[in-house]
Amino acid sequence: MIPGHPTQLLQKLSREHRLAPLEWEALIGGYTPELAAQAAELARDFREPFYGKKIFIRGLIEFTNYCRNDCLYCGIRRSNRNAPRYRLNREEILSCCETGWELGFRTFVLQGGEDPWFTDERICELVRAIKKRWPECAVTLSIGEREEESYRKFREAGADRYLLRHETADECHYRRLHPPELSLSHRLDCLRTLKRLGFQTGAGFMVGSPGQTVGTLAKDLVFLQEFQPDMVGIGPFLPHHDTPFAGEPAGSGELTLYLLSLIRILLPQVLLPATTALGTLLPNGREQGMLAGANVVMPNLSPEDVRDKYTLYDNKLHSGSEAAEGLRRLQESMAAIGYQVVCDRGDRAKRQP
Ligand code: SAH
């Protein structure tokens, strides 16, 4: 099969919201700034009927950087002895939520390393406490791979959403990025379980991770097309100096923006953040992300004194200013490009009948 010209493939994607693997390769590999501009315009058009000019905010609470895993790209991997470790206690976490609530956040994202101290019981207790005090808020968990039974308990405790990037949909690439005890098949099993249990589920990957090719990216897009996640998190790979990938080049911001647009066209209703990694790599990364089709930002609500310890990669963006100040600036920068930061849960738009 001959995949066709990238412009035609973009039109096909806009009509059919799916492509064959080789077509994805041709579309991704055919990147030019002009093609990306076309894709961004289409992405904005597809977002409009579902979300208008609304940007949703999520309060990100990075509550532990202890991790039992050893992912080669990640600065908080267990074998990084130079990472000062921390974990927030219940009161600290609730106080982050309190600050967030006052500022207008209606979604809290609890993200962390895979920290065994946070047993199922402790996570459930936290989720219940947050939902009891702020019933109209959504709680999102992003704490890695657990057993089905654990996920079920989290759901019963009231957790609404779960973010678990698949990282790469290619077996061989997955093994290059992870230690032998981790597997793509288990990660994908977790994602399917989360969806079945009724979580609004988020997948995603880094752009430009070592070993990534147009072929592996095509597999990522095919996976998203099959899995139909509610949320997709993508951001550039950024090296961390205390990892085996210290000397690897950062991913491309332009390619990340292009892929954001393609994902919006593929999944028009998807919740798509302009990630911190994108904001770290590109000046005005968040604004550029919105113009490429994103509709979510996840400002950091973690306490000031731990923010520089959740270092997945070098130079991670965190404004020194307090959360309130950061939010005001975000609202202004979004308003300047015609978007409006709103204070609601920001659930995924329903599918059209
Ligand atoms: N332990 C949780 C949360 C991981 S951190 C889990 O396993 O899901 C959230 C995301 O940060 C990861 O899924 C990964 O895609 C991204 N990340 C980690 N290290 C990174 C790096 N060096 N550059 C860019 N993104 C990175």
Side-chain angles (χ1 to χ4, degrees), residues 67 69 71 73-76 111-114 142-145 162-167 187 204-206 233 235-240 243 277 310 312-314:
C67 192
N69 285 337
C71 307
Y73 45 84
C74 186
I76 63 167
Q111 188 178 87
E114 292 198 11
S142 180
I143 53 174
E145 300 176 29
Y162 205 104
L163 302 175
L164 186 78
R165 290 185 177 183
H166 64 284
E167 310 298 359
R187 193 106 179 146
F205 55 90
M206 292 173 285
F237 160 76
L238 300 170
H240 184 287
T243 64
Y310 197 79
L312 307 179
Y313 44 81
D314 291 337

Side-chain angles (χ1 to χ4, degrees), residues 316-331:
K316 184 162 161 266
L317 189 69
H318 54 88
S319 69
S321 59
E322 53 155 340
E325 168 77 7
L327 188 59
R328 195 181 52 75
R329 280 212 304 266
L330 177 70
Q331 277 160 341

Side-chain angles (χ1 to χ4, degrees), residues 39-96:
E41 193 177 336
L42 286 165
R44 294 193 294 269
D45 290 348
F46 275 107
R47 184 184 50 194
E48 182 73 28
F50 297 108
Y51 298 110
K53 299 286 185 247
K54 285 186 188 172
I55 302 295
F56 301 126
I57 46 171
R58 321 299 195 196
L60 181 62
I61 304 169
E62 297 160 335
F63 68 103
T64 174
N65 75 349
Y66 284 87
C67 192
R68 63 178 176 149
N69 285 337
D70 218 18
C71 307
L72 276 74
Y73 45 84
C74 186
I76 63 167
R77 66 203 301 265
R78 67 162 184 264
S79 51
N80 182 8
R81 299 288 161 75
N82 296 328
R85 304 287 167 170
Y86 74 91
R87 68 170 65 90
L88 302 183
N89 63 33
R90 183 181 186 279
E91 279 59 48
E92 289 168 320
I93 295 169
L94 290 175
S95 128
C96 294

